[in-house]
Amino acid sequence: MFRSKITGTGHYLPEDKITNHDLAKMVDTNHEWIVERTGIHARRNAKPDQATSDLALIAAKQALEAANLRATDLDMIIFGSITPDYIMPSTACILQEKLGAGNCVAFDLIAACSGFIYGLATADMYIKTGNKKNILVIGAEVLHNYVDYTDRGTCILFGDGAGAAIVSRNEDDNDKSEIYSHHLYSDGSLNKLLYVPDGGSVSPMTKDSIDQRLNAVKMNGREIFKHAVRAMSKCSTEALEANSMSADDVSWVIPHQANTRIIEATAKHMKFPMDRVVVEIEEMGNTSAATIAVAMDKAIKDGRVKRGQNILLTAFGAGLTSGSLLFKY
Ligand code: UT7
C-alpha cells in the first residue's frame, strides 16, 4: 500500500455576478431574506462562450503548477460535475485535450455536490494500490443553464465555478502529508428531493419541457436541509472516530458550501467551532461539485490551511450522496 497526498490545488470563479438585488428584479425575494436564510450575496455566471471544461482548465493549470507537475505527468483525470460540456464524450476527455494531458485515463463522475470528495476518494484508492501516481481531480459546474429564474426557492442558491486538486503518491517517509480516510454514502430512496426532471432517458427534452422549465433543478429545500445536516454530521463523526481523533485534532473543516445555516447546524452538531470552519459561500453561492475545491484552494492561498494540519472535508448532494474525507495537508 502507498500513501497519497494533495500536492496542488487551484480554482476559478467567473467574474460576472448575479447579486441578490438582481434576483429581486426577477422573483419575489429580497437581499435581506436571502442573506439571512442562505448567507449568499452573489453567485457567479459563466459567459456564453465558457463551458464547464473552460472553467476547469484554469483551475487545473493552477493545481498542476502548485504541484510542480506538467499535464503529461498525469495518469488520470477524474471530473466531478452534473453540468458536462456534452452528454458525450466525457468532460474529462475534453479537458484532457485542452490540457495536453496525453493519453491518461479520463472519466466523469456524477455525485452532484459530493462529486469532489467522491473524486478525491477514488484518486486515493488508485494511488494507494500503486496503480497510478498523479491524478487530477476536478469539481466544476456551469449551473446557471439549469436554474429556473422564476423559482425563488432555487434560483437564489446556484452559481458557476471550478476547483481542482492533484493527488499524488507520497514517497517521502519524512513527509507526513496523507489522505487518512474517506466515508462515502448514497441513499437513492431520496433521489426526487433534488433533481432535473427532463433531458434524460426517462423524459427527453422537448419544447414543452423547456417552456415548463422541467430542464431546471427542482428541489424540496426543507427536506434537503434536514438530510444535509444529518448526513454531513454522520460521516464527519465517522471520519474522526476512524482516525481516533476529536474535533480538537482537526484544524479546519471545509464543508460543502450550500447554505451558511446548514454549515452552522452541522458544526454545532459536531461541536466544532465556526472559527475553524471555512465558509466561502457569500460571493459564489452553491457551485455544487466545485464548492469544496474552491473553498479549499482559497483557504490554502490565503494561508488559513497550512502544511501539517489535519483537514476534514464533508459534503452532501443530489442522490442523495454524502461523504467525508480526512487528510493531513
Ligand atoms: O447542494 C444542495 C442544494 N440544496 C440545498 O442546499 C437546499 C437546502 N435548503 C435550503 O437552503 C433552504 O431550504 C432554502 C434556502 C432553499 C429555503 O429556506 P427555508 O428557511 O427552508 O425556507 P422555507 O422553504 O421554509 O420557506 C419559508 C418561507 C415560505 O413562506 P411561507 O410559506 O412561510 O409564507 C417561502 O414561501 O419563505 C418563503 N420563501 C421566500 N421568501 C423570500 C421561499 N423562498 C423565498 C425567497 N425569498 N427566495
Side-chain angles (χ1 to χ4, degrees):
M1 291 285 270
F2 295 88
R3 289 183 301 135
S4 60
K5 66 177 271 193
I6 293 178
T7 49
T9 56
H11 83 271
Y12 172 71
L13 293 172
E15 291 77 26
D16 292 351
K17 292 181 184 179
I18 302 180
T19 66
N20 294 344
H21 299 292
D22 294 331
L23 290 173
K25 291 175 198 150
M26 303 180 207
V27 289
D28 181 12
T29 191
N30 57 75
H31 175 71
E32 291 70 28
W33 192 95
I34 300 173
V35 172
E36 190 197 313
R37 301 293 177 117
T38 71
I40 300 170
H41 288 225
R43 49 300 293 137
R44 305 306 177 100
N45 221 30
K47 292 196 189 308
D49 64 351
Q50 283 182 309
T52 303
S53 63
D54 295 314
L55 274 51
L57 179 65
I58 299 170
K61 283 182 174 171
Q62 289 174 19
L64 282 167
E65 195 183 334
N68 206 13
L69 291 175
R70 289 163 303 181
T72 47
D73 294 324
L74 292 172
D75 304 311
M76 181 178 273
I77 298 172
I78 304 173
F79 202 116
S81 183
I82 47 169
T83 53
D85 282 15
Y86 304 100
I87 293 293
M88 72 168 187
S90 72
T91 313
C93 285
I94 308 268
L95 178 65
Q96 178 182 41
E97 201 248 334
K98 287 183 177 173
L99 267 178
N103 294 328
C104 68
V105 183
F107 61 91
D108 287 3
L109 190 156
I110 303 175
C113 306
S114 308
F116 186 64
I117 289 185
Y118 269 54
L120 290 178
T122 307
D124 179 51
M125 297 307 274
Y126 270 100
I127 286 169
K128 277 210 169 99
T129 54
N131 198 284
K132 304 285 177 227
K133 270 191 170 178
N134 295 306
I135 301 180
L136 169 63
V137 180
I138 298 284
E141 310 283 3
V142 174
L143 269 166
H144 77 261
N145 295 323
Y146 300 92
V147 172
D148 176 357
Y149 288 99
T150 65
D151 175 11
R152 68 178 182 172
T154 54
C155 72
I156 57 168
L157 298 175
F158 300 107
D160 306 338
I166 307 286
V167 184
S168 300
R169 185 191 291 181
N170 185 352
E171 293 174 294
D172 179 354
D173 290 342
N174 297 317
D175 179 352
K176 300 301 173 205
S177 296
E178 179 174 0
I179 293 179
Y180 289 131
S181 66
H182 23 86
H183 293 82
L184 308 182
Y185 294 97
S186 307
D187 182 352
S189 69
L190 302 172
N191 72 73
K192 290 293 186 299
L193 289 186
L194 180 54
Y195 78 125
V196 177
D198 282 14
S201 62
V202 169
S203 191
M205 190 98 69
T206 60
K207 186 180 173 304
D208 267 3
S209 41
I210 295 169
D211 290 346
Q212 294 172 48
R213 301 177 209 284
L214 294 171
N215 58 332
V217 173
K218 305 291 170 207
M219 179 180 77
N220 181 334
R222 279 185 210 183
E223 281 303 306
I224 290 279
F225 194 113
K226 281 191 278 180
H227 286 287
V229 175
R230 239 179 263 147
M232 289 203 290
S233 304
K234 177 176 177 275
C235 58
S236 298
T237 304
E238 269 181 326
L240 294 177
E241 284 173 5
N243 293 285
S244 305
M245 288 187 193
S246 72
D248 291 343
D249 298 309
V250 173
S251 297
W252 292 98
V253 173
I254 309 179
H256 171 43
Q257 315 279 304
N259 178 322
T260 307
R261 285 190 301 138
I262 292 177
I263 294 173
E264 286 169 351
T266 306
K268 193 172 169 199
H269 211 265
M270 291 168 60
K271 300 188 172 52
F272 202 90
M274 276 304 289
D275 60 3
R276 286 193 282 124
V277 178
V278 175
V279 183
E280 289 291 337
I281 195 169
E282 191 175 308
E283 290 298 314
M284 72 165 171
N286 180 347
T287 56
S288 191
T291 71
I292 292 176
V294 173
M296 180 166 80
D297 185 49
K298 276 177 172 266
I300 288 170
K301 286 192 171 132
D302 68 20
R304 276 174 288 175
V305 169
K306 297 178 183 61
R307 286 282 171 201
Q309 291 178 337
N310 293 328
I311 309 293
L312 176 62
L313 312 181
T314 183
F316 71 96
L320 293 186
T321 57
S322 58
S324 65
L325 186 128
L326 183 58
F327 67 101
K328 186 180 286 299
Y329 179 56

